[in-house]
Amino acid sequence: MHIEFAPSRQSTLGVEWELGLVSARTGELVSVANDVLRGVAANHPDLNEDDEHPHIKRELLLNTVELVTGVCNTVKEAKEDLSRSLAAVREVTDSMGVEVFCAGSHPFSPPLLQPVTDKERYAKLIERTQWWGRQMVIYGVHVHVGIDRRDKVLPILDGLVNYFPHFQALSASSPYWSGEETGYASQRALMFQQLPTAGLPFQFQSWEAYESYVQDMFTTGVIDAISEIRWDIRPVAALGTIEMRICDGLATLEEVGAIAALTQCLVHEFSGILDAGGTIPTMPPWHVQENKWRAARYGMEAIIILDAEGNEKPVTEHLTETLARLEPIAAELGCSEELADVAKIIERGASYQRQRRVAAEHNGDLQAVVMDLVQQMRKGPDA
């Protein structure tokens, strides 16, 4: 199999933000995505009622809409794009008594009661995956970064894998599942990997080896489309990007921008190393797997494995060092302010920590947690 990679301008950006729809009164998930999308289309001068908005999309579940940016040059541009789309959604939802929120999972709505969007590919997914597929009431943030040469893609993927626990810890926001405290910072991370071809990516030595893997997946009937390879980090050959899909849902636009900036800076740094003839260190798969589990379990308190020699360090300490190293790159890319927002997440705590604090302050009331997430979406992380 030949997979054509369509090069992009290096370090251009695209962001996808999955949002949950909840009752403004109870905080319960509400399956009104079709109504919301029809309303959005009706308010758009160039769309018919049944047309899909270019930046506001359907997702697996009817309680979800996804905001998708165009191709952006800077994180600021991506944030402005998302802000416009969020305003378009609110123009419809406010009059419906519906709010939007974002976290890796909804704290209390039962997953098995959430209707699936009427689309053939979603129906096929649920039919195949059964109970696990019906549990996928999860929300995430995906960041695409443009790559200018195909031979950079897989080494950059390997480089991002080294930072898996950093992204997971910063974004972890799913401590509750169907009303229960899971004890994990990110229940979503471990839930999503139960789907076929989801989870950590394999590490390939060449593009041809990756093509051979994809061919095997088609030949054995595991996938019908290359997009069904749902790794936490994956090449997207048709777009000329590498897609970082690690993150739990992020509650605020500020946090989305912070994660986008960290992703863009790391990819740009790796690209420069390769342009200069350098190599990007990798870790054994068992270290990578352990790092994922530690970050999902302990979040910002995780002690992570840094290299193939097994050296370790608290994830927050290594993040602080990484931010300092990336400052010149952020200045070059015009995202210094957004990269600095990563430090604010470390200071105030990731979403899972904030959710637990709110629950403790309200005697374990998870409705209060949802309403706090709703307010953060409206007013920012310090709401």
Side-chain angles (χ1 to χ4, degrees), residues 131-143:
W131 187 90
W132 284 113
R134 293 193 296 272
Q135 293 292 319
M136 293 297 142
V137 186
I138 54 178
Y139 309 90
V141 170
H142 304 164
V143 180

Side-chain angles (χ1 to χ4, degrees), residues 161-217:
V161 163
N162 295 337
Y163 287 85
F164 190 106
H166 306 65
F167 286 109
Q168 188 66 80
L170 286 166
S171 67
S173 58
S174 47
Y176 302 107
W177 189 261
S178 197
E180 293 188 33
E181 164 64 78
T182 67
Y184 282 76
S186 175
Q187 162 78 354
R188 171 190 169 273
L190 303 183
M191 180 63 68
F192 187 57
Q193 70 183 13
Q194 305 307 318
L195 293 182
T197 70
L200 290 166
F202 296 105
Q203 294 165 285
F204 298 101
Q205 295 301 310
S206 68
W207 188 259
E208 291 72 23
Y210 166 65
E211 290 174 327
S212 179
Y213 164 82
V214 175
Q215 180 63 69
D216 285 348
M217 294 301 99

Side-chain angles (χ1 to χ4, degrees), residues 26 108 358-359 361-362 364-374:
T26 68
F108 62 85
V358 171
E361 290 165 1
H362 292 82
D365 180 7
L366 297 185
Q367 184 183 55
V369 173
V370 176
M371 294 310 186
D372 183 70
L373 288 165
V374 164

Side-chain angles (χ1 to χ4, degrees), residues 80-358:
E80 290 170 348
D81 191 322
L82 291 170
S83 183
R84 287 191 297 271
S85 294
L86 181 57
V89 169
R90 287 202 188 283
E91 192 175 350
V92 176
T93 55
D94 282 353
S95 63
M96 296 171 63
V98 170
E99 286 284 0
V100 291
F101 88 106
C102 190
S105 63
H106 188 281
F108 62 85
S109 286
L112 293 177
L113 299 183
Q114 308 306 316
V116 175
T117 298
D118 184 16
K119 243 182 178 180
E120 184 180 352
R121 69 188 181 99
Y122 294 144
K124 183 177 179 181
L125 173 66
I126 298 299
E127 192 283 326
R128 184 180 184 203
T129 58
Q130 293 296 303
W131 187 90
W132 284 113
R134 293 193 296 272
Q135 293 292 319
M136 293 297 142
V137 186
I138 54 178
Y139 309 90
V141 170
H142 304 164
V143 180
H144 290 260
V145 182
I147 308 294
D148 62 357
R149 294 203 320 268
R150 192 190 74 177
D151 60 358
K152 290 183 180 179
V153 175
L154 296 177
I156 289 175
L157 183 151
D158 291 344
L160 285 176
V161 163
N162 295 337
Y163 287 85
F164 190 106
H166 306 65
F167 286 109
Q168 188 66 80
L170 286 166
S171 67
S173 58
S174 47
Y176 302 107
W177 189 261
S178 197
E180 293 188 33
E181 164 64 78
T182 67
Y184 282 76
S186 175
Q187 162 78 354
R188 171 190 169 273
L190 303 183
M191 180 63 68
F192 187 57
Q193 70 183 13
Q194 305 307 318
L195 293 182
T197 70
L200 290 166
F202 296 105
Q203 294 165 285
F204 298 101
Q205 295 301 310
S206 68
W207 188 259
E208 291 72 23
Y210 166 65
E211 290 174 327
S212 179
Y213 164 82
V214 175
Q215 180 63 69
D216 285 348
M217 294 301 99
F218 276 105
T219 300
T220 56
V222 177
I223 62 173
D224 293 321
I226 197 168
S227 61
E228 293 174 8
I229 297 173
R230 301 181 177 92
W231 293 333
D232 298 320
I233 310 168
R234 67 182 181 182
V236 183
L239 298 179
T241 67
I242 192 159
E243 182 184 12
M244 194 282 292
R245 300 160 47 86
I246 297 165
C247 291
D248 276 19
L250 295 157
T252 69
L253 191 58
E254 177 186 294
E255 291 173 316
V256 173
I259 289 295
L262 182 59
T263 309
Q264 187 186 35
C265 287
L266 283 170
V267 171
H268 197 73
E269 179 186 52
F270 296 144
S271 175
I273 290 170
L274 296 171
D275 284 340
T279 58
I280 299 169
T282 60
M283 286 194 288
W286 47 92
H287 285 177
V288 174
Q289 291 169 7
E290 175 64 15
N291 271 345
K292 178 174 182 176
W293 185 86
R294 290 185 189 186
R297 169 65 177 88
Y298 299 109
M300 301 289 266
E301 297 174 350
I303 296 173
I304 61 168
I305 305 167
L306 297 177
D307 50 38
E309 288 70 43
N311 293 303
E312 296 177 295
K313 189 171 282 189
V315 68
T316 50
E317 185 178 330
H318 195 251
L319 264 169
T320 300
E321 295 171 2
T322 301
L323 294 178
R325 189 186 79 237
L326 293 175
E327 280 179 2
I329 293 173
E332 179 185 348
L333 295 172
C335 63
S336 295
E337 182 178 334
E338 291 84 5
L339 186 68
D341 286 338
V342 175
K344 294 180 183 178
I345 300 176
I346 299 172
E347 291 163 10
R348 74 168 67 95
S351 179
Y352 78 93
Q353 294 170 309
R354 304 199 301 271
Q355 289 180 46
R356 285 174 173 160
R357 285 200 293 266
V358 171

